[in-house]
Amino acid sequence: MSNSPSPTPCSRSWSISEESLRRYVKFASESCIQELLAASDTNNNNKGNNNINIINSNYDNDGGWKLLTLDNGVEISKRRSGSLHTFRSRWVLPSVSPQQFITVANAIDAAKQWDSDLVEARYIKDLEENLSIIRLRFGENSKPLFRNREFIVYERRETMQDGTLVVAVASLPKEIAAGLHPKQSNAIRALLLQSGWVVDKLEDNSCVVTYVVQLDPAGWLPKCFVNRFNTKLVMIIENLRKLAQQACPPIEPQK
């Protein structure tokens, strides 16, 4: 997993055709999808077993991941990636199907319900039915680590052959991003190096969700603050879990 340096203010922009942009995003997102699948590929023998203890395993030696916390069925781990850390969270959603969860997680208009620091999330361009360019903006009243940051990212949504749902999200190169949406004078364009969801189906129409995120907020910040920024982004999954369960009440068992 590569770690890009913090970007400097972008004085160049690239204007590329929609076809070239589509080809680039599809190529770049392939490695992101594979990294996300690898991060979720633990304890596969338990897939299909609707048991909350699927999360309660020793992940410390699992591909370099270090377990940080395990609380209320939610596991949060991290792995060193250059000077930053990649964070992973996993949890089981009883009686919520993969598609139901992704519908809630991808509802961009409702994103502020699970991230209170986000002031704007909107689609810039749809390249294909499952491929979009999105702008995420954090405003002046956001917490210090988020203040005036913005991200221009691609989002690719795929269903794998085994039914696993994957949503891969990462920043576009700053020159391409500047060509699509010029940076506001008071905004700091940060980099989402890698992020996304992997949602596996379990028995009884339930699912296990893996969320992975690594980013560079740009600007000067102490390393411990950058890592705290990453940690906070992973913590929002608790809000997502509540939203998914509210939107999908438990299914009564068939008699």
Side-chain angles (χ1 to χ4, degrees), residues 223-254:
K223 186 187 300 184
C224 63
F225 278 40
V226 175
N227 290 333
R228 195 181 305 165
F229 186 22
N230 283 336
T231 303
K232 185 267 177 187
L233 288 178
V234 175
M235 297 299 180
I236 65 176
I237 59 91
E238 178 62 23
N239 292 335
L240 268 170
R241 179 168 70 166
K242 292 177 181 178
L243 284 173
Q245 290 175 331
Q246 289 170 3
C248 310
I251 299 174
E252 293 294 331
Q254 294 182 351

Side-chain angles (χ1 to χ4, degrees), residues 39-60:
S40 70
D41 190 22
T42 301
N43 214 11
N44 273 336
N45 291 333
N46 282 325
K47 279 190 178 182
N49 177 15
N50 189 20
N51 187 340
I52 198 69
N53 289 327
I54 187 173
I55 299 298
N56 192 8
S57 303
N58 181 9
Y59 294 127
D60 292 59

Side-chain angles (χ1 to χ4, degrees), residues 111-174:
K112 287 182 279 188
Q113 294 184 43
W114 46 268
D115 188 350
S116 59
D117 286 306
L118 187 67
V119 299
E120 183 183 5
R122 68 180 181 88
Y123 288 104
I124 295 176
K125 185 185 290 289
D126 288 323
L127 300 175
E128 291 182 358
E129 185 178 356
N130 68 332
L131 200 62
S132 305
I133 307 299
I134 298 172
R135 178 179 184 241
L136 306 172
R137 183 171 68 87
F138 300 86
E140 294 182 356
N141 295 323
S142 299
K143 295 180 178 65
L145 294 179
F146 299 79
R147 191 166 296 147
N148 290 332
R149 262 65 180 181
E150 71 171 5
F151 302 85
I152 306 298
V153 301
Y154 67 75
E155 180 188 76
R156 180 174 173 182
R157 305 167 292 278
E158 292 288 347
T159 301
M160 312 311 290
Q161 288 185 346
D162 64 355
T164 298
L165 300 183
V166 183
V167 179
V169 182
S171 287
L172 294 173
K174 59 182 181 291

